Amino acid sequence: MTHRVAIVGAGPSGFYAADGLLRGRPDLRIDIIDRLPTPYGLVRAGVAPDHQGTKAVVRQFDKLLDQPDLRFAGNLDIGGDLSWEELVAAYDAVIVATGMVIDRKLGIPGEDLPHVWGSWRFVAWLNGHPDFRGGPDLSAVKSVAVIGNGNVALDVARLLAKTPDEMAKSDIVPEAAAAIAAAPLTDIQVIGRRGAEHASFTNNELAEMGRLARAISVADASVLDAVAPAADPTPEKLRKAKNIETLKGFAAHRPGEKPVTVHFRFHETPKAIRAGEVDLSTGPIAADLVVTCIGYTGEAFPKADGVFAVGWARRGPSGTIPTNRADSHAVAKDVIAWLEDHDPKSGPDILPLAVDAEGWRRIDKAEVAAGTAQGRPRLKLVDRQALLDIAQGD
Ligand code: NAP
């Protein structure tokens, strides 16, 4: 008899945990569970649809799904369909890789108005997450305020700013692509509450904002005096210095040089939101749509013996996919050490396999075939029942 490990959450952290476990204990039986009928978590629902290079990481995870002792159990909600207690009782160890999927709040008046969207909800919509169907009404949206200075803010600004041609090889859902293309957009304001030297943009993502077909990026004059903090570790200092150079380049641009202007505004704290505008520290700006990109929180899970968290569920919502690989591998070593001290449990297999790896492969094949017909990487199925029907071979 061998140990059985359940991994809850089939995103990158979950798959990297499985990879780490199998490197140390190839004999383990691993079940990787997701509440969606599809695996890959943020790679499918969060990574921007025009960044297909980043999504290529799933090829490694596809290979793991070929392993005979690793099962995928999709469309299974732990905490709903099956309780955490049942899971913990049945498995020798449980790894929580549920990420963080709740938009943080600004805590200012007007935040609950219908034109205010959290970035998770917004990005999940245009990525075809079945629980986030229906996006904002963009038909009269001229000005957008994007609040936050991280890569998610850049994703949102870029996806709104790109032309249909620039999105042609993406897997954005057609409804979102059409809504963005038809919006009478002229201005996108990317708002940071601190200076450019504190923005968490990565260099390539910021530089991409300078290469958009229909949008010109401009930056406020504060970037001319920005300096990377001397006390920062060298890699951070280098990243920030490069960003500041890029932003200085943007400061030389003029608003209106292209049909859409992306304004980078620093030292501006949002104070209140009203229909059509946001109050910043220095006064109101027009905003028909507000997207808050200020981080995420997670759902509760039990902190019990034999339960280990990985990725964003463990560290909070920071770090890119490669960061999570190292993190998950380190936790996998802890799990292996824990298992050494515990005999395998005996007991029945409690896992319903509504959508298994074979079911996911059917979905994948159908989506890729539909996408190929349009010159796209895939055309996502966004309806949960349609996903289940295809998974079950209907
Ligand atoms: P992030 O980098 O932590 O950025 C969050 C931003 O929200 C910060 O600028 C923060 O400002 C701001 N903020 C927080 N509370 C605020 C408030 N009350 N008012 C105004 N601003 C507020 O997080 P993220 O952009 O959500 O990204 C999450 C992680 O995913 C990051 O590690 C990111 O690099 C990664 N990611 C990577 C890519 C990519 O590689 N292409 C794409 C997307 C995401 P302060 O700094 O002042 O707190």
Side-chain angles (χ1 to χ4, degrees):
M1 201 155 61
T2 187
H3 289 106
R4 292 186 304 171
V5 180
I7 299 175
V8 184
S13 296
F15 272 95
Y16 283 134
D19 180 49
L21 289 174
L22 289 173
R23 280 165 194 256
R25 281 280 307 272
D27 62 308
L28 283 181
R29 284 168 57 200
I30 300 173
D31 290 333
I32 185 156
I33 301 167
D34 206 284
R35 57 158 67 120
L36 286 182
T38 51
Y40 307 146
L42 266 192
V43 181
R44 185 174 164 99
V47 171
D50 61 332
H51 278 181
Q52 289 296 316
T54 310
K55 292 184 189 254
V57 68
V58 300
R59 288 193 207 120
Q60 306 170 36
F61 307 152
D62 273 334
K63 286 202 187 105
L64 282 170
L65 285 180
D66 289 336
Q67 303 270 337
D69 286 331
L70 187 144
R71 298 190 299 182
F72 172 62
N75 204 44
L76 182 64
D77 183 19
I78 304 302
D81 301 322
L82 203 63
S83 73
W84 283 100
E85 291 71 26
E86 284 171 286
L87 201 72
V88 172
Y91 284 85
D92 298 299
V94 171
I95 297 181
V96 181
T98 46
M100 294 214 148
V101 295
I102 302 166
D103 282 307
R104 278 190 53 212
K105 294 289 226 175
L106 280 167
I108 61 173
E111 192 169 13
D112 294 323
L113 288 168
H115 69 299
V116 184
W117 281 63
S119 59
W120 168 247
R121 189 158 71 110
F122 185 78
V123 173
W125 162 61
L126 52 79
N127 267 327
H129 189 302
D131 297 343
F132 293 86
R133 300 187 55 194
D137 178 1
L138 299 179
S139 60
V141 169
K142 291 186 183 156
S143 304
V144 181
V146 178
I147 297 174
N149 265 185
N151 280 335
V152 172
L154 293 183
D155 280 351
V156 169
R158 187 184 70 253
L159 291 167
L160 286 167
K162 276 193 169 180
T163 60
D165 265 4
E166 288 173 303
M167 294 300 289
K169 301 241 176 308
S170 79
D171 63 355
I172 188 170
V173 298
E175 178 211 308
I180 293 171
L185 204 64
T186 57
D187 294 276
I188 301 169
Q189 314 265 354
V190 179
I191 296 158
R193 62 179 169 179
R194 297 193 286 162
E197 68 279 19
H198 296 294
S200 53
F201 310 138
T202 46
N203 295 148
N204 289 344
E205 278 64 21
L206 183 62
E208 193 180 352
M209 297 302 294
R211 298 192 298 268
L212 301 175
R214 71 160 176 165
I216 185 84
S217 287
V218 303
D220 69 32
S222 75
V223 302
L224 301 176
D225 300 323
V227 180
D232 276 5
T234 303
E236 269 297 88
K237 244 187 325 216
L238 292 175
R239 179 184 67 77
K240 289 177 173 180
K242 187 109 197 276
N243 277 350
I244 292 167
E245 277 315 301
T246 303
L247 287 163
K248 283 182 180 169
F250 293 173
H253 296 158
R254 282 166 204 275
E257 279 178 10
K258 291 186 183 179
V260 176
T261 302
V262 181
H263 309 256
F264 285 87
R265 303 174 69 119
F266 298 96
H267 303 287
E268 292 275 22
T269 301
K271 304 281 185 199
I273 303 174
R274 290 182 294 277
E277 59 183 24
V278 178
D279 261 347
L280 300 177
S281 336
T282 54
I285 57 160
D288 307 311
L289 171 72
V290 179
V291 186
T292 60
C293 307
I294 61 165
Y296 310 103
T297 57
E299 294 170 358
F301 57 86
K303 315 262 185 312
D305 274 355
V307 177
F308 301 80
V310 289
W312 284 12
R314 187 171 86 82
R315 301 189 326 274
S318 73
T320 54
I321 294 170
T323 322
N324 286 303
R325 181 174 186 272
D327 181 78
S328 290
H329 280 182
V331 173
K333 283 194 176 140
D334 294 344
V335 176
I336 289 170
W338 154 273
L339 293 172
E340 267 169 27
D341 293 337
H342 295 81
D343 291 333
K345 290 176 184 167
S346 57
D349 181 4
I350 61 160
L351 207 65
L353 290 176
V355 180
D356 59 7
E358 207 41 55
W360 155 241
R361 287 201 185 92
R362 285 195 196 100
I363 294 172
D364 188 38
K365 213 170 142 196
E367 289 186 343
V368 170
T372 306
Q374 298 187 7
R376 292 179 178 271
R378 69 175 60 239
L379 195 58
K380 283 181 184 159
L381 290 159
V382 298
D383 178 67
R384 192 180 277 265
Q385 193 54 52
L387 286 160
L388 293 176
D389 289 346
I390 300 262
Q392 276 139 24
D394 296 345

